[in-house]
Amino acid sequence: MKKLLTQIFILISTVCIGQELTTIKISVPNKTDEVYIVGNQESLGNWEPDKIKLNKISEYEREISLNLTFPAEFKFTRGNWESEAIITNLSEQPNFILNEQPKETEYYRIQGWSDQIERFSTYSDFNILEINSNILNQKRKLYVSLPENYDANIKYPVIYVTDANILNIYEIVVQTIRQQSNFSNFPQCIVVGIYINIRDRNNELDIEFGENGRKFKDYIFKEVIPFIDANYSTSGFKAIYGHSNGAEYNHYLMFEKDNPFDAFVNISENLIDLENGQLQNIENKYNSFIDNTNKPIKYFVASAKYDDPNRYPSGMEIERIINNNPNENIVFKQKIYKSWHVDLIGYSVLDAFQFVFSNYQDYGLFEENVKSKKFDYKYTKEKYLMQNEKYIQPYFENDASSVVVGEIIRNSKNPEILTQYLEFEDKDSSMYNLYVRAILFYEINDLNTALYYLDKMVKENDRNSIQQLVNSKAESYIEIYKKADKLDLAYKNLEILKQKNPELKKEINTLKKEIK
């Protein structure tokens, strides 16, 4: 019996020794952080947040090695569920899952804690901060995402997002704005997430806009917006994004006389009055708003075909009301998607902000006016810049914008318009040297102006132009003079250039042979 027990003990010991430990290592934002791991098995505390503590191995690092059964699910806390670690999400942090034994140490970077938002703290691309609200008589969280290269000397538009801590709405908006601004399709923006207390959501985003809804409106208008304007460099352009209750609540904000927003994005609208059989009530409110609005407003509504029964028709009714009582100050668009309530967020977000920023870098200004006999490039460009500076100040024209505008002008094939463009954009010929200008005019069949610029190039001995002439083997140069039946002049001018630029003697002699 003793021998049998000994064999069993040896077997158990062998199994235990043979089982590999999983090492989990984290970095923490504060030296004093005591961190616990909590998860789905005994070695992880069976979801009790204060049982399994990590070891401190340096001021900002904690580590633990565990015998785990896979799959293993876990999170990190500071000993209770109110102090959950923020790692990848600002809210509703998903469980980490290990489906098999990792080959190396598992490493996680904790960026902050859900209960420690007393000061500005940077979490990846977001700032999470807490402000004291006198109106709500409590501390409230705000999420703030700044442009990647935020510059206090630039004034940025601000996008506000209600329900910022639900359904990853805030992150989706931030990512969309950032991606599109990286391509210069949108201006760089500050994105502010308005945190909602889940238990009080129906009171705060009050879809009947009663006392609680008005109180929360005052919090946004009188505390959140002034706080953002005071602490960040803002341009004055403001948009607000809301989904579900947030969408319906937003249109009540739009009705307010002191509405500070220039654009509204309402995803999955719902008219509670329609649901209650009192459509005329909300229709009257919309018509009163339309009749008394002098402020330019953009209003985007996204509706889902397979949404809750009242939401899809609500979007249709809003469109009907606005179309029946047009106001040139209100630019409205509704778009219907083959989706349902939640995935509508992802389907519609890009369309929504393309609408909001539809007259940012609006090349249509040039395309529509360039056909007019009275086209004035200077006036059109100044209007274009003014439109862009409605959003961001100062507006710096990017390379893509310059290329597109230049292409529109060249495609007009109008020598007068091309001349206006060059005089306004390139007075010193730094963008388009004299040789390039000759080619531009030749391409639109203005042979005389093309010859003028070639002659100017020779007289001024413009080095940039001459170098490009040589590098291109004078193909366009010869073609232009040939078209004008002046190859003798082409040869003569090359001889002049050779005398003025002896270091290019060999190259120019080669070009002269091409003419002969």
Side-chain angles (χ1 to χ4, degrees):
M1 182 68 176
K2 183 176 180 181
K3 183 178 179 181
L4 179 61
L5 289 174
T6 301
Q7 289 174 339
I8 293 172
F9 176 76
I10 292 171
L11 179 62
I12 292 172
S13 299
T14 303
V15 171
C16 290
I17 292 170
Q19 182 175 355
E20 292 185 31
L21 295 176
T22 298
T23 299
I24 295 174
K25 186 176 182 179
I26 64 171
S27 64
V28 294
N30 308 304
K31 296 179 182 179
T32 57
D33 287 335
E34 294 186 352
V35 184
Y36 295 78
I37 189 169
V38 53
N40 66 340
Q41 50 196 269
E42 187 174 351
S43 59
L44 293 171
N46 286 325
W47 295 115
E48 292 185 33
D50 58 352
K51 287 187 67 175
I52 311 298
K53 185 177 178 180
L54 279 72
N55 303 308
K56 183 176 182 178
I57 59 172
S58 72
E59 286 187 335
Y60 292 99
E61 291 178 303
R62 310 291 183 263
E63 186 177 275
I64 193 168
S65 295
L66 300 166
N67 286 319
L68 297 179
T69 301
F70 301 98
E73 291 190 46
F74 55 92
K75 290 186 173 185
F76 301 100
T77 74
R78 284 183 19 264
N80 56 68
W81 286 114
E82 287 70 37
S83 60
E84 189 176 337
I86 296 172
I87 296 181
T88 57
N89 282 20
L90 294 174
S91 60
E92 300 176 7
Q93 174 68 56
N95 298 339
F96 293 104
I97 301 176
L98 294 178
N99 290 309
E100 58 184 18
Q101 176 76 43
K103 295 179 180 179
E104 299 177 348
T105 298
E106 282 290 300
Y107 178 80
Y108 302 90
R109 179 173 176 262
I110 294 176
Q111 302 189 65
W113 306 97
S114 59
D115 67 333
Q116 287 189 343
I117 324 277
E118 288 88 11
R119 57 188 173 80
F120 288 83
S121 303
T122 300
Y123 300 132
S124 185
D125 294 329
F126 308 94
N127 294 328
I128 300 182
L129 53 106
E130 196 169 65
I131 65 173
N132 291 312
S133 171
N134 294 322
I135 292 171
L136 301 179
N137 195 28
Q138 58 185 245
K139 291 183 177 180
R140 297 295 299 230
K141 296 176 187 175
L142 294 176
Y143 303 155
V144 180
S145 171
L146 299 176
E148 290 183 64
N149 299 308
Y150 176 78
D151 183 343
N153 295 313
I154 297 174
K155 296 182 178 181
Y156 300 93
V158 185
I159 311 296
Y160 292 84
V161 182
T162 56
D163 277 333
N165 50 312
I166 297 175
L167 296 174
N168 291 57
I169 294 173
Y170 179 70
E171 289 95 325
I172 292 169
V173 172
V174 168
Q175 290 165 6
T176 301
I177 295 295
R178 178 154 295 181
Q179 289 167 357
Q180 292 300 313
S181 64
N182 283 343
F183 284 104
S184 301
N185 296 331
F186 296 168
Q188 291 186 315
C189 298
I190 297 170
V191 184
V192 177
I194 301 172
Y195 186 94
I196 301 294
N197 287 331
I198 303 299
R199 294 173 186 171
D200 295 327
R201 182 172 183 261
N202 290 338
N203 288 327
E204 294 180 346
L205 299 180
D206 177 8
I207 61 174
E208 295 186 3
F209 209 57
E211 182 179 351
N212 289 323
R214 292 182 178 280
K215 194 173 184 180
F216 199 70
K217 179 268 293 186
D218 288 340
Y219 162 65
I220 295 173
F221 284 17
K222 298 178 181 179
E223 291 185 327
V224 174
I225 292 175
F227 177 86
I228 295 299
D229 287 342
N231 287 277
Y232 301 96
S233 183
T234 61
S235 68
F237 182 88
K238 301 174 181 68
I240 188 165
Y241 176 105
H243 170 257
S244 191
N245 281 23
E248 185 164 1
Y249 182 75
N250 281 359
H251 71 234
Y252 283 108
L253 300 185
M254 185 172 68
F255 294 164
E256 291 295 292
K257 291 181 179 179
D258 58 344
N259 156 45
F261 297 106
D262 303 282
F264 291 81
V265 175
N266 292 358
I267 309 301
S268 188
E269 272 269 25
N270 182 35
L271 300 178
I272 191 66
D273 290 323
L274 174 63
E275 189 173 336
N276 295 335
Q278 299 174 333
L279 178 61
Q280 193 59 50
N281 184 29
I282 189 65
E283 186 166 352
N284 290 340
K285 291 176 182 177
Y286 265 98
N287 283 327
S288 177
F289 156 69
I290 294 168
D291 292 340
N292 294 287
T293 294
N294 297 317
K295 177 181 179 177
I297 286 177
K298 287 188 174 182
Y299 181 17
F300 181 90
V301 172
S303 301
K305 191 172 182 180
Y306 308 113
D307 205 338
D308 294 340
N310 197 59
R311 293 187 178 277
Y312 176 65
S314 290
M316 303 291 286
E317 287 297 336
I318 292 170
E319 184 173 40
R320 178 188 64 80
I321 293 167
I322 292 178
N323 287 344
N324 286 345
N325 188 12
N327 179 335
E328 63 180 10
N329 291 308
I330 301 170
V331 181
F332 174 80
K333 181 177 183 179
Q334 188 207 192
K335 189 165 183 180
I336 299 169
Y337 298 83
K338 292 180 180 179
S339 61
W340 69 292
H341 189 61
V342 174
D343 65 355
L344 179 61
I345 298 167
Y347 274 110
S348 63
V349 63
L350 178 58
D351 290 334
F353 287 105
Q354 282 179 329
F355 174 77
V356 168
F357 296 120
S358 58
N359 56 350
Y360 176 75
Q361 293 190 165
D362 180 13
Y363 304 126
L365 283 175
F366 298 95
E367 286 182 327
E368 293 162 10
N369 294 320
V370 78
K371 299 171 185 176
S372 170
K373 293 181 180 179
K374 297 181 179 179
F375 178 76
D376 184 329
Y377 181 81
K378 180 176 181 292
Y379 170 81
T380 305
K381 184 60 180 285
E382 288 175 348
K383 183 178 179 180
Y384 172 81
L385 296 174
M386 192 180 302
Q387 273 191 189
N388 294 332
E389 290 197 341
K390 175 184 177 183
Y391 300 104
I392 187 167
Q393 303 114 26
Y395 165 75
F396 296 106
E397 189 169 22
N398 56 74
D399 291 341
S401 174
S402 298
V403 168
V404 172
V405 172
E407 193 66 20
I408 292 170
I409 297 302
R410 289 193 293 276
N411 287 341
S412 73
K413 298 188 181 302
N414 186 318
E416 183 180 343
I417 291 175
L418 179 57
T419 299
Q420 288 185 40
Y421 169 75
L422 293 172
E423 287 179 352
F424 185 84
E425 298 288 2
D426 192 31
K427 289 182 179 179
D428 60 357
S429 302
S430 58
M431 290 171 56
Y432 301 97
N433 63 48
L434 299 176
Y435 183 54
V436 171
R437 289 177 179 228
I439 296 170
L440 289 176
F441 280 95
Y442 175 68
E443 289 176 342
I444 61 174
N445 299 315
D446 186 350
L447 191 57
N448 288 334
T449 306
L451 291 168
Y452 163 79
Y453 278 114
L454 291 180
D455 183 59
K456 189 176 175 66
M457 173 186 72
V458 174
K459 287 180 178 177
E460 295 182 4
N461 196 38
D462 182 67
R463 293 306 300 267
N464 289 333
S465 298
I466 296 165
Q467 191 60 59
Q468 188 161 351
L469 170 75
V470 169
N471 292 342
S472 67
K473 298 181 180 179
E475 288 182 3
S476 296
Y477 176 88
I478 296 170
E479 189 175 338
I480 292 169
Y481 278 112
K482 185 176 181 180
K483 182 77 172 180
D485 195 20
K486 293 184 178 181
L487 285 178
D488 56 336
L489 181 58
Y491 190 89
K492 178 183 177 182
N493 282 342
L494 285 178
E495 184 62 33
I496 293 172
L497 291 176
K498 185 175 72 171
Q499 299 301 320
K500 291 183 176 181
N501 302 278
E503 73 281 5
L504 294 175
K505 178 180 178 180
K506 181 179 178 181
E507 290 85 349
I508 293 176
N509 280 336
T510 301
L511 298 180
K512 289 166 65 179
K513 291 177 183 178
E514 293 295 323
I515 296 175
K516 285 191 172 182

